Amino acid sequence: DTHRIVIRQGDPRQMFLSSGEGVYYSSDSGETWTHIQTRTDRLGYPDAMAIDPHNEDTIFIAGAGNPPRTWVDQQEGTSNAGVIRSDDGGKSWREVSNGLPQPLKGNIEAMSLLSHPDGVELFCGTATGELYYSADRGGNWEELAAGIPPVSKVHHNRWFLPKEELQRIEELAK
């Protein structure tokens, strides 16, 4: 269940892989991997990932706190999504969520990083149709849009529908 791989430009042998089982790191072009974030960590189901081009020790990860099939069972259908950042190459992580709803309902399924001479901006889209923006490397967030079509991979948005609607759609798909 590989979600994404990011490679350090300064040393292409170093790479990070997000998956349904957390995050892995390789320093030898993928020959061996170390599990650096697991299902029990804050983002146990990470998806989007980016490396800060100004400082390759800064890594951003966005995703869910738990796997998709549990989202429908959570109170109010939340994935417990968030964004975490490492400033030491993945050795330690901290949540960067100031301004994001707590809990964030839909999973963050897309994240884009905009790099410019003055810094880094982040954009995150959710499976429930919200778009969030940070002008300061994830330090502070604001909602740019709500009610847009779901930013979702393969039916992940369905887990956030009311149970009756989810059942109706699954019946139609048969």
Side-chain angles (χ1 to χ4, degrees):
D1 190 13
T2 300
H3 296 166
R4 192 147 347 233
I5 294 176
V6 294
I7 300 170
R8 283 202 172 136
Q9 286 185 324
D11 183 355
R13 295 171 299 165
Q14 294 185 34
M15 53 187 69
F16 297 85
L17 179 147
S18 66
S19 76
E21 294 297 330
V23 177
Y24 296 83
Y25 167 74
S26 176
S27 62
D28 58 10
S29 302
E31 290 293 321
T32 60
W33 294 91
T34 303
H35 205 179
I36 62 171
Q37 283 281 301
T38 69
R39 268 273 169 95
T40 60
D41 290 315
R42 169 60 184 99
L43 295 184
Y45 193 81
D47 202 338
M49 197 168 31
I51 296 175
D52 183 338
H54 296 286
N55 177 356
E56 290 190 344
D57 281 337
T58 300
I59 304 152
F60 302 94
I61 297 174
N66 42 23
R69 296 213 179 267
T70 67
W71 299 345
V72 73
D73 297 326
Q74 301 297 314
Q75 184 180 18
E76 297 180 22
T78 179
S79 67
N80 195 24
V83 180
I84 59 175
R85 182 176 80 200
S86 174
D87 293 316
D88 57 11
K91 294 177 186 74
S92 65
W93 300 87
R94 67 181 175 99
E95 189 157 7
V96 288
S97 61
N98 187 39
L100 290 175
Q102 298 299 321
L104 191 80
K105 182 176 180 178
N107 186 33
I108 296 173
E109 302 239 344
M111 180 172 63
S112 292
L113 181 146
L114 172 65
S115 173
H116 49 79
D118 295 328
V120 166
E121 299 174 45
L122 297 168
F123 299 84
C124 290
T126 71
T128 50
E130 295 86 24
L131 178 63
Y132 296 97
Y133 165 74
S134 172
D136 58 0
R137 290 184 162 89
N140 297 286
W141 293 88
E142 63 182 271
E143 185 178 81
L144 289 183
I148 63 174
V151 178
S152 176
K153 62 182 179 183
V154 191
H155 311 301
H156 276 188
N157 62 306
R158 289 184 182 181
W159 297 112
F160 302 103
L161 297 172
K163 288 183 183 183
E164 299 79 26
E165 182 68 7
L166 177 61
Q167 290 171 348
R168 186 185 73 76
I169 289 172
E170 288 178 346
E171 284 298 318
L172 290 172
K174 289 183 181 178

